[in-house]
Amino acid sequence: MTKFNHANLTVTYIAPITPFRPLEGRKYTLSHSDTTGKLFLTVGPEYSYSTTTVAKDEVFAEWVQSMGEYSLYGRVHVSSGEFDEQQSGVRFMIFKKEMDLALTAIVYGDQVFYKSFPWLLDAPIYIQFDSIYPEFKKVLYYGTPRQYLASLRGQKVT
């Protein structure tokens, strides 16, 4: 995994979403620059789809409620047929390898939000890998926001 550097993260909020509210409808789009290594997090009421990225390398996530409990549910695009099985496998492995970095950026970039909703620090994070190839079409558990913030601070987050 690439090491997270907060100086390489740019966060943009799109109204009516603010660093503090609301929870409902809060969507995250994380993109990156392969040349600079910079990460770009957009937090808004809609996903921010790139018009320049052909490979569809963004990570999309949102807070979803099921049976009274919230989880951060994300998704990434592995392949819908534009990549063959071998290329899709490479994309799947890269997404898996870099997902901790992506989730660290999302959680760190929106960390003020957790002051308004501290109980979400312990919400589960799930990532859906979308692919036409069954071996890459999965939903994986990635811990909690608290774990990502704690790993950055080297201590427990309160």
Side-chain angles (χ1 to χ4, degrees):
M1 175 184 89
T2 307
K3 187 173 165 104
F4 177 73
N5 179 351
H6 68 85
N8 286 337
L9 177 64
T10 301
V11 181
T12 304
Y13 289 91
I14 308 293
I17 305 298
T18 73
F20 305 99
R21 299 199 180 279
L23 167 58
E24 287 77 21
R26 189 177 202 87
K27 292 182 171 54
Y28 302 94
T29 306
L30 183 72
S31 58
H32 71 282
S33 167
D34 285 332
T35 55
T36 66
K38 295 204 179 277
L39 299 168
F40 306 95
L41 176 63
T42 303
V43 186
E46 304 292 332
Y47 293 121
S48 178
Y49 295 98
S50 173
T51 56
T52 58
T53 305
V54 177
K56 300 179 184 177
D57 292 338
E58 298 93 353
V59 176
F60 301 103
E62 68 181 303
W63 291 101
V64 296
Q65 185 181 21
S66 176
M67 298 174 58
E69 295 191 7
Y70 280 92
S71 61
L72 185 58
Y73 195 87
R75 67 182 192 10
V76 294
H77 176 81
V78 176
S79 177
S80 58
E82 71 277 33
F83 302 108
D84 66 21
E85 192 168 357
Q86 183 177 1
Q87 290 172 311
S88 297
V90 169
R91 285 179 59 79
F92 178 75
M93 293 310 295
I94 290 170
F95 273 126
K96 276 185 62 178
K97 177 179 177 250
E98 298 297 334
M99 191 54 63
D100 282 339
L101 173 67
L103 291 172
T104 299
I106 290 170
V107 171
Y108 177 87
D110 202 26
Q111 66 182 314
V112 171
F113 173 69
Y114 296 103
K115 292 181 181 182
S116 297
F117 298 93
W119 46 274
L120 291 177
L121 284 167
D122 296 310
I125 300 171
Y126 298 100
I127 301 296
Q128 176 178 321
F129 294 79
D130 292 329
S131 178
I132 62 167
Y133 302 104
E135 63 268 34
F136 309 128
K137 184 176 182 157
K138 302 176 183 282
V139 175
L140 300 177
Y141 171 72
Y142 274 91
T144 67
R146 183 181 306 274
Q147 291 171 313
Y148 288 94
L149 290 175
S151 71
L152 285 174
R153 295 191 177 114
Q155 60 188 12
K156 254 194 164 338
V157 177
T158 57

